[in-house]
Amino acid sequence: MDEEKDLEVPAAIPPAGTENAPERKNRRWIIFGAAAVAVAVLVAGGVCGYRAYEGHKTSVARDACQSAVADQAKAVKAYKTLLGSDDTMAALKTDVKSVKDAKTVDALTKAAKAKLPATVSCDASKAAGLDAAAMKAGKAVKTVKADTKALDAAAKAVEASRLDKTVANAEALYKATDGKVQNDKTREELAKAVKARDAAAIGRAVKAVNDSKAAKEKADAEAKTRAEQEAQAAAGGSQSTGGSGYSSSSYSGGTASVGRSTGSTGGWSYSGGASGGSVSSGNGGGASTGNGGSSSGMPYIPSTSTGHGSYGEDSNGNWRDDYTPDPNEGGEVWW
C-alpha cells in the first residue's frame, strides 16, 4: 500500500511563465482605463483651459475697446469746447472786411463745420469684434484731434489777420493826421501802440487821435467864421464912411417929393414956399443959387397958391402929361 502511494503520479505542473496570466489581463484593463481617464481629463482640461483663455482674451479686448471709446469721447468734447469758446466765437463773428486776408475767415468757417464721427460701441461678444471696434475708435480719435487742431489754428489765423488790418488802419491814420490834430501827443501814443501790436492800446489811441482831429477841425471852423464876420464888419464900416452921394436938402415951408418925366429919371417937387432951401435934381440938373444967392445947388422957386402942373405922376400917383394946375395942391414942379 505504501508503494502504491509512492507510485502516484504527481499533478500537472503549468508551463513556465503562465503562472500570473489572469493578473496580467486585469492589469491591462486597469492601464487602459487609467489612460482613458487621463485622456478625458486632459481633454476636459484643455477645453476648460481654452475657454478660460478665450474669456480672458475677450475681456482684455473689451477693456481696450472701452478705453478707445473713452478717448474718442474726450476728443469730441475737446473739439466742442474749443468751438464754443469766446475766442473762437469772436473769430467766427469777424467781418471779412475787418481782416487783412479774407481767406482766413473762409478757413475758419470750414473748420467749424467738421463732421464728428459717431461714437463706437463695444458690444461684440468675441475678441476679434472688440479689437475691430477699438481700432475704429482709435481712428476716430485721430480724426477729431486733427479737426480740433485745425479749428484752433484757423481761429488764431483770423485773429492775427484782424490785428494786421487794425495795425494797417492805425498806421494810415497816423500818416493822414500829421498836422491835423489839436494835440500831437495822441499821435505819438498811436505810434507806440502800433509798434507793440497791442490791439487794445491801438483802439484807445485811435479814439484819442480822432477826438483830437475833430477838436482841431471845430476850432479851425470857429476861427474861420470869426474872421469872416470881422471882414464883413470892416467892409460895412468902409461903405458907410466912403462913397459918393449927397445929403438931404434942407428947406423951410415945403415938402420935397420925387416925380417922373419922359427922358429923365425924375425930379423933385414941393409945395409951399422955400426960403433959401435947396433941392438936388434927379435928372442931373445943374446947381444954382436960390433965395438971393444961396449956394444950395437949386434955384429958388417961390410957392404959389394956384397949384402946379405936373409931368409924370401927381400926388395921388396918377400919370399926367399936361400942365393944368391942380387947384388942390400948391407950389410948382421942378424937374
Side-chain angles (χ1 to χ4, degrees), residues 246-256 268 270 273-280 290-291 294-300:
Y246 60 89
S247 59
S248 300
S249 300
S250 61
Y251 56 90
S252 61
T255 302
W268 291 91
Y270 62 91
S275 59
S278 63
V279 183
S280 297
N291 194 22
S294 172
S295 60
S296 60
M298 288 294 295
Y300 169 72

Side-chain angles (χ1 to χ4, degrees), residues 2-3 40 95 130 134 163 203 245 275 316 331:
D2 293 334
E3 290 181 358
D95 186 356
L130 293 170
L163 180 58
S275 59
N316 296 320

Side-chain angles (χ1 to χ4, degrees), residues 4-14:
E4 289 180 357
K5 291 180 181 180
D6 293 336
L7 292 175
E8 288 180 0
V9 180
I13 300 171

Side-chain angles (χ1 to χ4, degrees), residues 185-241:
K185 289 183 179 180
T186 57
R187 295 179 68 253
E188 295 176 3
E189 293 298 323
L190 178 60
K192 292 179 181 179
V194 167
K195 186 176 181 180
R197 291 180 64 84
D198 186 339
I202 289 175
R204 292 191 296 269
V206 165
K207 184 179 183 304
V209 170
N210 285 330
D211 290 345
S212 184
K213 180 174 178 290
K216 179 172 175 57
E217 290 174 350
K218 181 179 180 181
D220 291 346
E222 292 175 350
K224 182 179 179 181
T225 301
R226 287 195 300 271
E228 290 175 351
Q229 292 175 347
E230 292 174 357
Q232 291 176 358
S238 298
Q239 292 177 359
S240 63
T241 57

Side-chain angles (χ1 to χ4, degrees), residues 1 37 50 57 75 99 112 115 129 144 151 174 178 187 190 198 222 250 253 266 291-292 319:
M1 290 295 292
V37 172
Y50 175 76
K57 185 178 179 180
V99 296
K115 186 177 181 180
V144 176
L151 178 62
Y174 177 81
D178 186 14
R187 295 179 68 253
L190 178 60
D198 186 339
E222 292 175 350
S250 61
N291 194 22
W319 180 261

